[in-house]
Amino acid sequence: MHSLNFPNYTFRLKNSENKVAVFDELRKKFVLLTPEEWVRQHTVQFLLQEKKLPKSLLNVEKQLKVHDLIKRYDILAYNPDGSIHLIVECKAASVPITQDTFDQIARYNLALKATYLMVTNGLQHYFCQLDYEAEKYHFLADLPEWT
């Protein structure tokens, strides 16, 4: 798999029928190791280990409804009150981050109303904080650590 712009993390891998799977500690099961999954698993570890988000508040690959369409977000972090702290959109390292990627996460956020957004392909990471009162978003150099 591609070397990514994250700290080095240890993953449980297994081979089955000539396919590699990685253990997802949030879903508590092995999942097929695709290039996008490689980025997703690194991002989960980044949020857990570097940003100190509690595992109990993270969710991976769930459906959401946006204007009568069923979509799937990559990673979601909740606040203890159930509101959305963070939405993450992951792309494979070979996929450039474009305006379409930001438009995709913005559409998801119409339904979710997160405080922070993160877009990553594992090589480039973009972070935004949303200000709903001013109807603006601010790019950040990094996500704040969980408090």
Side-chain angles (χ1 to χ4, degrees):
M1 278 288 143
H2 224 289
S3 180
L4 301 177
N5 184 18
F6 284 107
N8 288 328
Y9 300 117
T10 303
F11 298 99
R12 287 175 47 201
L13 302 173
K14 77 173 184 179
N15 281 311
S16 177
E17 300 174 21
N18 292 328
K19 294 187 179 177
V20 178
V22 60
F23 187 78
D24 182 318
E25 67 179 271
L26 298 179
R27 290 180 270 188
K28 296 181 175 63
K29 66 179 185 178
F30 281 93
V31 294
L32 184 64
L33 184 57
T34 63
E36 183 176 315
E37 191 62 44
W38 186 238
V39 172
R40 187 169 21 257
Q41 291 302 315
H42 276 78
T43 306
V44 166
Q45 292 306 312
F46 169 76
L47 295 173
L48 291 170
Q49 295 184 39
E50 314 311 320
K51 298 304 168 189
K52 310 298 186 205
L53 271 91
K55 190 187 302 188
S56 62
L57 297 179
L58 288 176
N59 209 315
V60 176
E61 285 250 289
K62 297 283 188 203
Q63 288 187 346
L64 94 128
K65 195 171 181 179
V66 181
H67 299 303
D68 296 330
L69 298 172
I70 301 298
K71 301 291 185 180
R72 287 184 89 74
Y73 59 77
D74 284 304
I75 304 169
L76 199 82
Y78 291 94
N79 289 307
D81 67 3
S83 62
I84 308 299
H85 176 71
L86 168 72
I87 308 169
V88 182
E89 179 60 30
C90 299
K91 299 294 184 191
S94 61
V95 176
I97 303 295
T98 64
Q99 184 62 50
D100 287 344
T101 312
F102 288 100
D103 292 347
Q104 179 182 2
I105 199 168
R107 281 192 301 274
Y108 294 175
N109 198 45
L110 289 173
L112 297 170
K113 304 279 191 257
T115 304
Y116 297 99
L117 304 178
M118 176 180 177
V119 174
T120 183
N121 64 3
L123 303 173
Q124 298 174 292
H125 316 299
Y126 297 94
F127 311 100
C128 298
Q129 182 174 14
L130 287 102
D131 179 345
Y132 290 99
E133 286 188 21
E135 296 182 351
K136 293 182 179 182
Y137 58 89
H138 307 282
F139 278 94
L140 306 172
D142 199 358
L143 286 175
E145 192 172 299
W146 182 261
T147 52

